[in-house]
Amino acid sequence: MKNFALIGAAGYIAPRHMKAIKDTENQLLAAYDKFDSVGIIDRHFPQADFFVEFERFDRHVDKLKRKGSALDYVSICSPNYLHDSHIRFGLRVGADVICEKPLVLNPWNIDALEEVERESGKRIFNILQLRLHPSIIALKKRVEEGPKDKVYDIDLAYITSRGHWYYTSWKGDVSKSGGIATNIGVHFYDMLTWVFGEVQSNQVHIHTHDRAAGFLGLKRANVRWFLSINADTLPEQVKERGGTTYRSLTMESEEIEFSDGFTELHTESYKDILSGKGFGLQAAKSSIELVHAIRHKKPIGLQGDYHPLAKGKLVPHPFDKQ
């Protein structure tokens, strides 16, 4: 049984990590978040110690080590811009680290973490759960076994509705979240480059507060992509049935279904890591380089080969009305 601590216990994704720790028959000894809405801990680890001040959490972790209950892993679900610092904390206390996406915001952060990882002798793992999805694994196999010179036409769309709270939170601050493409798209970019190879070209058509769209030329695919947090951009058929999320991946106009199980792969990720596998710094690097490039590219507007959903009317930032 391994000893875990969790940073970012009040976040949206934290319950999946708690469940994964429980499902793999390990124990959560301590958790930290500056917010105290963490009653979900009772479902999995009611005896875990919880802290709202990092200094006290840090002291507690040191006490655990001195009492013979040192941490084996630190799981990180904190806001994106804090990942780098919290990863370093985990390594300093002698633990391996499991971190949510995006691992960091900038490619050079990975280079620096590689050095810290070597110095500590511990490992940094990123949750890249789409690589474990049966449909995506099957897609990768299909591409690898297909014609070697084939370049596939791909359309990717992901819309996940968010309210005005999003813009007040750290997620609405590009310097903290990385913006739309980084915050909600990084795992899709990782999946695309994992399946279809490295980036050959990169165009951004639209990049605003609530949506982003562009074109990626990959080694084995031409990808039109669209991401949004605005419910008005949902396809009409989704709106009619009251849906708030839309996820679509088509290859040569054939829908690749991967919605089922999309949110249930954290336990599988933990199993891989605990068995000596898992995805490390280098696995995460290509997607971090890509989202960084997208974030800093100047949008060219609706020209060239763009995703059909990009044609929707742009809207002002909700706070511009105030």
Side-chain angles (χ1 to χ4, degrees), residues 67 101 116 140 162 179 183 191 235 240 268 298 304-305 317:
K67 291 179 179 180
K101 306 167 296 294
V116 181
K140 181 175 175 66
R162 296 290 185 267
N183 201 40
M191 176 267 290
E240 289 171 2
E268 296 306 313
K298 183 178 180 180
D305 200 5
H317 192 290

Side-chain angles (χ1 to χ4, degrees), residues 16-286:
R16 296 183 199 170
H17 286 260
M18 295 179 201
K19 183 177 184 297
I21 295 168
K22 187 75 169 181
D23 288 348
T24 53
E25 300 182 342
N26 295 295
Q27 58 184 349
L28 181 67
L29 297 185
Y32 160 75
D33 203 297
K34 67 178 184 177
F35 301 107
D36 60 7
S37 297
V38 293
I40 187 67
I41 294 177
D42 286 345
R43 185 181 302 175
H44 304 291
F45 298 100
Q47 303 305 315
D49 292 305
F50 174 69
F51 300 86
V52 294
E53 295 172 334
F54 192 83
E55 293 80 3
R56 292 187 176 187
F57 171 72
D58 184 4
R59 182 177 64 184
H60 183 72
V61 168
D62 184 62
K63 284 183 176 181
L64 288 174
K65 183 176 182 179
R66 295 177 187 279
K67 291 179 179 180
S69 298
L71 297 178
D72 298 296
Y73 290 90
V74 173
S75 295
I76 298 172
C77 310
S78 53
N80 300 349
Y81 71 106
L82 297 176
H83 287 179
D84 184 85
S85 176
H86 289 157
I87 289 169
R88 291 166 181 269
F89 166 81
L91 298 180
R92 280 200 308 274
V93 300
D96 291 319
V97 172
I98 301 173
C99 186
E100 263 300 336
K101 306 167 296 294
L103 185 70
V104 288
L105 291 180
N106 305 300
W108 55 84
N109 298 141
I110 291 183
D111 298 333
L113 285 176
E114 283 184 326
E115 184 175 346
V116 181
E117 188 182 51
R118 284 194 299 270
E119 291 172 352
S120 69
K122 296 297 180 178
R123 293 289 311 280
I124 302 166
F125 299 97
N126 199 195
I127 297 291
L128 302 174
Q129 78 267 34
L130 279 181
R131 296 192 186 194
L132 303 179
H133 196 295
S135 295
I136 302 304
I137 293 172
L139 177 63
K140 181 175 175 66
K141 185 172 185 289
R142 177 175 165 184
V143 170
E144 290 174 345
E145 294 178 351
K148 300 303 179 185
D149 58 349
K150 173 70 174 175
V151 178
Y152 297 88
D153 289 324
I154 304 294
D155 276 358
L156 171 72
Y158 179 51
I159 303 170
T160 178
S161 306
R162 296 290 185 267
H164 288 185
W165 67 266
Y166 185 96
Y167 302 105
T168 302
S169 78
W170 63 267
K171 295 182 180 183
D173 184 337
V174 174
S175 69
K176 293 181 177 181
S177 70
I180 293 291
T182 303
N183 201 40
I184 70 169
V186 66
H187 48 304
F188 293 111
Y189 299 124
D190 173 74
M191 176 267 290
L192 288 168
T193 54
W194 185 62
V195 173
F196 297 104
E198 61 270 18
V199 177
Q200 311 283 319
S201 63
N202 176 17
Q203 291 181 327
V204 176
H205 297 120
I206 296 169
H207 202 172
T208 69
H209 62 282
D210 68 355
R211 72 196 72 184
F215 175 87
L216 288 174
L218 305 180
K219 184 177 181 180
R220 301 291 306 278
N222 292 318
V223 182
R224 302 187 303 181
W225 57 268
F226 178 79
L227 305 169
S228 172
I229 58 168
N230 188 330
D232 290 339
T233 62
L234 289 164
E236 288 304 317
Q237 66 271 24
V238 178
K239 294 179 185 177
E240 289 171 2
R241 65 172 184 265
T244 59
T245 300
Y246 175 70
R247 187 183 294 113
S248 174
L249 174 66
T250 63
M251 183 168 75
E252 308 287 312
S253 300
E254 172 194 348
E255 188 74 29
I256 307 297
E257 177 54 52
F258 66 107
S259 295
D260 291 342
F262 181 79
T263 62
E264 303 301 324
L265 290 170
H266 279 69
T267 294
E268 296 306 313
S269 299
Y270 269 65
K271 287 179 181 177
D272 265 13
I273 292 166
L274 290 162
S275 68
K277 294 181 286 186
F279 301 111
L281 291 173
Q282 282 303 311
K285 193 168 187 178
S286 64

